[in-house]
Amino acid sequence: MLKVGLTGGIGAGKSEVSRLLVEHGAVLIDADRIAREVVAPGTPGLAAVVEAFGEDVLTEDGSLDRPKLGSIVFADPDRLAVLNSVVHPLVGARSRELEEAAAEDAVVVHDVPLLTENGLAPLYDVVVVVDAGPETQLDRLVRLRGMTEEDARARMAAQATRDKRLEIADIVIDNDVPLEELQRRVKDVWHELVRRAHGAQGSPQPRSPQE
């Protein structure tokens, strides 16, 4: 099994890269998806979030109001740290369960937005960073996700710097490109991951084949 940590700044296109890797055959463990599951209505995770932030972060039907919670924590590093202390242990435990269920020869891709921030790089055999310039990130968040520019900038600022992400990368996928070019780059990276998963000899390559 090859354990791959996939990360990138918000708006860099990490979700699209993970989708393409799944098409090639990767087993995906999506930390964001798991983070939603562990705070679903009726879970201990949601109860812990409400205890920390109050019932104002709930919608009328009792589920977590993620946009409202996001507006609170991404503008306040201390509040973000509180949320992470609640959610991250639950996400980690569920991620380990899913990894253990994968085949022995699988390429298991952990899609982890805060991999850099939480110092998780040593947990993986390979770290893949999806990279895009700040202008590209901002444009995608405002134009495609409907965020205000202020909210988008706050979320970008709450994450690790671009340089910090690149420091931990074994492979970098530059996503300041059209989708067709991204597809080609991800295909190249997939071949490299399969090579490593099969134990091919040779020195690790610090950057992806397209660079």
Side-chain angles (χ1 to χ4, degrees):
M1 178 185 296
L2 186 75
K3 295 185 286 186
V4 179
L6 176 69
T7 195
I10 186 171
K14 175 177 53 61
S15 296
E16 181 64 19
V17 169
S18 66
R19 183 187 69 79
L20 292 169
L21 288 170
V22 168
E23 287 187 356
H24 286 295
V27 174
L28 178 65
I29 299 177
D30 186 335
D32 265 352
R33 183 178 302 169
I34 296 171
R36 289 191 291 271
E37 292 174 359
V38 300
V39 293
T43 61
L46 181 59
V49 170
V50 172
E51 183 177 353
F53 293 93
E55 294 192 358
D56 286 346
V57 297
L58 295 177
T59 63
E60 291 183 0
D61 65 5
S63 60
L64 184 63
D65 188 335
R66 294 177 65 85
K68 185 168 187 177
L69 180 60
S71 68
I72 295 170
V73 301
F74 288 111
D76 185 336
D78 291 337
R79 301 295 278 165
L80 179 59
V82 171
L83 179 63
N84 289 343
S85 71
V86 172
V87 175
H88 287 171
L90 300 173
V91 173
R94 179 57 178 156
S95 296
R96 286 189 293 273
E97 289 177 4
L98 294 172
E99 183 181 279
E100 290 169 0
E104 290 185 5
D105 62 347
V107 174
V108 179
V109 174
H110 290 260
D111 183 332
V112 186
L114 299 179
L115 188 154
T116 307
E117 292 82 347
N118 293 325
L120 302 178
L123 298 180
Y124 307 104
D125 301 311
V126 181
V127 173
V128 177
V129 170
V130 183
D131 182 56
E135 300 82 3
T136 300
Q137 292 177 262
L138 184 62
D139 174 68
R140 289 171 178 165
L141 294 175
V142 173
R143 181 170 52 86
L144 301 179
R145 298 198 194 181
M147 292 185 186
T148 65
E149 182 172 336
E150 181 181 8
D151 191 21
R153 290 188 183 278
R155 294 191 181 219
M156 290 168 62
Q159 294 187 325
T161 65
R162 186 181 189 184
D163 287 343
K164 289 293 185 183
R165 281 192 296 271
L166 294 176
E167 282 177 8
I168 65 166
D170 297 301
I171 296 174
V172 176
I173 299 177
D174 178 1
N175 193 21
D176 273 318
V177 295
L179 179 58
E180 183 176 338
E181 176 61 17
L182 178 64
Q183 291 170 336
R184 186 190 69 77
R185 295 181 177 195
V186 172
K187 183 178 180 179
D188 288 344
V189 168
W190 172 252
H191 290 319
E192 171 62 12
L193 296 177
V194 170
R195 186 192 70 80
R196 297 190 188 203
H198 291 167
Q201 299 299 312
S203 300
Q205 298 181 15
R207 291 293 182 265
S208 57
Q210 73 267 10
E211 297 206 338

